[in-house]
Amino acid sequence: DGGITQSPKYLFRKEGQNVTLSCEQNLNHDAMYWYRQDPGQGLRLIYYSQIVNDFQKGDIAEGYSVSREKKESFPLTVTSAQKNPTAFYLCASSADRGPSYEQYFGPGTRLTVT
Amino acid sequence: AQSVTQPDIHITVSEGASLELRCNYSYGATPYLFWYVQSPGQGLQLLLKYFSGDTLVQGIKGFEAEFKRSQSSFNLRKPSVHWSDAAEYFCAVHTGRRALTFGSGTRLQVQP
């Protein structure tokens, strides 16, 4: 079955450590996205990528980094510079970046930093 | 910049009752409009979308939404709610520039 996988589902880290969240898709989609979800705030865009080796900052990119070396993979690194990293992180993909292309979401990773 | 407002943070309805979730957007032109549903601890699933044409759109799970340009609204409706509809619902817009802009969500609770 085609879809998006995010691993792990739950992740715990100590403050000051970088952590990388995995996102893999087998939908052959060109565009991929990372969103952050906090209670009562909906989803906010962190980074997006339209194509391999290209990515753009979203609304809350500070303290995060990404790479897009393969079409199917778009890992997100939460660095120690991110002031409030505890959140639910959602990865999505779409065939193209345009608005008529549905975004498919992964199951999410809940990151807790203490 | 575009924005999306979902004025109801939490709504409780009885099973079998009708449902309307409100969504207002702010954008100069007609955006692309979406409703997503999220079960606890899960990703989002697309319920329906509006791009152009008929302003009443049908979606999955018996949901529909109506686009009203004069009110900048895209309210989600369901005539009879089932217990399995309990979830969080997000309205989103896409203006063609970057990615989706989401509202803050409405949590639906269904009473037996």
Side-chain angles (χ1 to χ4, degrees), chain A residues 12-87:
Chain A
F12 298 89
R13 281 293 182 271
K14 294 290 188 186
E15 198 171 314
Q17 294 179 336
N18 291 354
V19 59
T20 297
L21 282 60
S22 168
C23 177
E24 303 276 334
Q25 55 98 358
N26 61 3
L27 300 168
N28 199 34
H29 285 170
D30 281 323
M32 296 188 74
Y33 313 82
W34 274 106
Y35 293 91
R36 171 181 170 139
Q37 185 177 19
D38 296 282
Q41 293 194 46
L43 281 71
R44 292 179 291 169
L45 181 66
I46 305 173
Y47 268 98
Y48 66 100
S49 169
Q50 297 176 241
I51 200 166
V52 173
N53 293 323
D54 177 74
F55 47 84
Q56 305 295 328
K57 291 182 179 180
D59 299 316
I60 55 166
E62 186 176 347
Y64 299 97
S65 66
V66 294
S67 63
R68 186 88 187 274
E69 296 176 2
K70 297 186 298 182
K71 186 175 185 176
E72 57 271 21
S73 179
F74 191 40
L76 173 75
T77 297
V78 184
T79 74
S80 56
Q82 169 50 232
K83 291 184 173 58
N84 297 296
T86 295

Side-chain angles (χ1 to χ4, degrees), chain B residues 8 14 16-19 24 30 32 47 49 56-57 60 64 75-76 78 87-88 90-91 95-96 98 103 106:
Chain B
D8 303 305
S14 298
S18 63
L19 171 70
N24 293 94
T30 300
Y32 295 78
L47 284 175
K49 57 191 177 187
L56 184 64
V57 293
I60 62 171
E64 66 178 26
N75 294 349
L76 182 70
K78 187 170 186 178
E88 189 150 23
F90 293 94
C91 181
T95 61
R98 291 194 310 177
T106 297

Side-chain angles (χ1 to χ4, degrees), chain B residues 3-22:
Chain B
S3 66
V4 180
T5 302
Q6 293 181 246
D8 303 305
I9 297 172
H10 188 197
I11 283 183
T12 300
V13 300
S14 298
E15 191 167 14
S18 63
L19 171 70
E20 182 168 28
L21 302 181
R22 296 183 290 167

